Amino acid sequence: MADPPFELLPTRWEKPVTNFLLNLRGREKVEVVTTDMWKPYRKAVKIAMPQAVLVVDKWHVMRMANDAMETARRVYQGGQGISKETRKQLKKGWSIFLKRPYQLSPKQLLDLDGWLKNTPELAGAYECKEQFMDIWKARTATNALARLNHWRDNIPPHLYRLFKPVVTATTNWEAEIMAYFTTGRQWTNAATEARNRVVKMTNRIGAGYSFNAIRARALFGKRPGRVAKEKKDAQAEPAPASPRYLECVSCKALVPRGDHWKYDEYYVDGHVFEVAALCADCARFNTEEWFGAEGHSTPKSE
């Protein structure tokens, strides 16, 4: 499992990123930095970590080729003379044009073959996209650069405008893209991008979360793997006559009885039954002002 993030900045502009990196402990020992194609990042790394090799993650470069393919599909789909049923099928099967052949099922491969044989407009864009993706099959930087140059020199004229953003990006960031191969084809910021996606989803769901709230959630929130492990460990123990664990209604982790924040309970024949409980981690976000004096209701909504 990838290490969790250790800091989030409120902006990604050059000055704050540079200041952060300059104050990062051990920055002089950093050997490789992976990032996307954002110029302020490149400038910040060159200032704060001049000894480090900057690697542009291949995912960001490949995504640009997929964006070009998606544009070609949308243009064809919205063109004149295209039947309603064809538009519907293209919209439904959009993903088969973006995946590599080995990622497709036999049914999807058959559908893709049908589209490419019957729509030259899409076939040309797809072949150009796949040739670009094949650059990352190269085992050395020399071979990769040769493939990249060959691809840029042989884009069909009618597709050049479609793939021009890819050509521009691979020209401006050629050294950093090729660094992926010179550093051993192992460096990627995929874990960061995955975490970034979760943060963005959380922000959308929150519909108004402040930056501090998002930062606290990303840095200090209980990780899913930890929750699953705690629950598994608790369930593996023999169940006593009286349950030793309660499930937190917020994060679903199992916490020892007595080591939690009870906020609702009732009595049957003198026995106490907890209806809901919060673990210590989740309870730290709650104070007495959220709960009534009797502990049976919440006067305010979180």
Side-chain angles (χ1 to χ4, degrees):
M1 181 180 294
D3 293 334
F6 64 87
E7 188 53 274
L8 268 71
L9 301 182
T11 177
R12 62 175 188 159
W13 293 107
E14 180 183 348
K15 185 175 181 179
V17 173
T18 302
N19 289 337
F20 173 76
L21 294 181
L22 285 172
N23 288 281
L24 189 64
R25 183 180 301 175
R27 62 183 174 85
E28 68 281 354
K29 299 180 181 179
V30 175
E31 298 179 2
V32 178
V33 177
T34 60
T35 181
D36 57 18
M37 291 176 286
W38 178 244
K39 289 183 179 179
Y41 288 166
R42 178 163 60 182
K43 292 180 180 178
V45 171
K46 286 185 177 180
I47 293 173
M49 304 172 179
Q51 80 285 353
V53 177
L54 184 62
V55 176
V56 167
D57 192 299
K58 64 178 182 178
W59 180 84
H60 296 285
V61 191
M62 291 180 169
R63 183 180 62 178
M64 296 187 70
N66 272 334
D67 288 344
M69 180 68 239
E70 179 67 358
T71 298
R73 181 191 66 82
R74 288 175 179 269
V75 169
Y76 177 79
Q77 180 180 311
Q80 295 181 353
I82 306 300
S83 67
K84 184 177 180 180
E85 181 61 26
T86 299
R87 287 194 177 95
K88 181 179 179 181
Q89 292 300 321
L90 269 175
K91 185 176 182 180
K92 182 179 179 181
W94 64 272
S95 64
I96 64 174
F97 297 97
L98 306 183
K99 294 180 179 180
R100 304 304 308 276
Y102 66 85
Q103 296 175 318
L104 300 175
S105 66
K107 171 65 167 57
Q108 289 175 322
L109 283 172
L110 187 63
D111 291 342
L112 177 63
D113 184 63
W115 283 114
L116 299 182
K117 286 181 177 179
N118 294 286
T119 55
E121 300 87 346
L122 296 180
Y126 182 82
E127 291 172 3
C128 194
K129 185 263 294 187
E130 283 298 305
Q131 289 171 4
F132 181 76
M133 299 295 190
D134 285 342
I135 294 172
W136 276 265
K137 290 182 178 180
R139 311 301 283 183
T140 65
T142 302
N143 189 4
L145 183 58
R147 292 189 183 196
L148 177 58
N149 288 330
H150 181 270
W151 179 83
R152 288 186 295 209
D153 293 339
N154 291 275
I155 299 175
H158 68 285
L159 294 175
Y160 189 83
R161 183 178 179 182
L162 182 66
F163 285 93
K164 185 178 179 180
V166 186
V167 175
T168 301
T170 56
T171 301
N172 294 340
W173 292 85
E174 184 177 290
E176 291 79 11
I177 293 173
M178 290 299 106
Y180 170 77
F181 300 93
T182 59
T183 55
R185 293 163 40 95
Q186 59 178 317
W187 301 105
T188 174
N189 63 348
T192 302
E193 292 300 330
R195 181 72 63 182
N196 189 38
R197 181 181 179 185
V198 173
V199 171
K200 289 181 177 179
M201 291 176 60
T202 303
N203 189 35
R204 285 198 297 268
I205 294 172
Y209 279 158
S210 66
F211 169 74
N212 288 334
I214 288 293
R215 177 178 176 275
R217 181 97 178 212
L219 300 184
F220 309 115
K222 184 169 284 191
R223 306 290 188 268
R226 175 183 165 193
V227 174
K229 183 178 184 303
E230 290 178 353
K231 192 168 185 177
K232 182 179 179 181
D233 292 344
Q235 292 173 340
E237 295 186 13
S242 176
R244 296 176 54 192
Y245 295 91
L246 296 173
E247 185 178 82
C248 175
V249 296
S250 178
C251 67
K252 305 304 180 183
L254 294 182
V255 294
R257 177 180 293 276
D259 185 19
H260 64 280
W261 182 302
K262 294 185 298 184
Y263 68 91
D264 201 357
E265 59 185 23
Y266 63 92
Y267 296 84
V268 176
D269 296 332
H271 297 284
V272 180
F273 293 83
E274 288 84 0
V275 177
L278 286 171
C279 68
D281 286 340
C282 294
R284 71 168 184 253
F285 296 111
N286 300 273
T287 60
E288 290 292 348
E289 66 181 6
W290 297 105
F291 299 96
E294 300 298 326
H296 294 291
S297 62
T298 57
K300 294 183 180 181
S301 171
E302 293 188 71

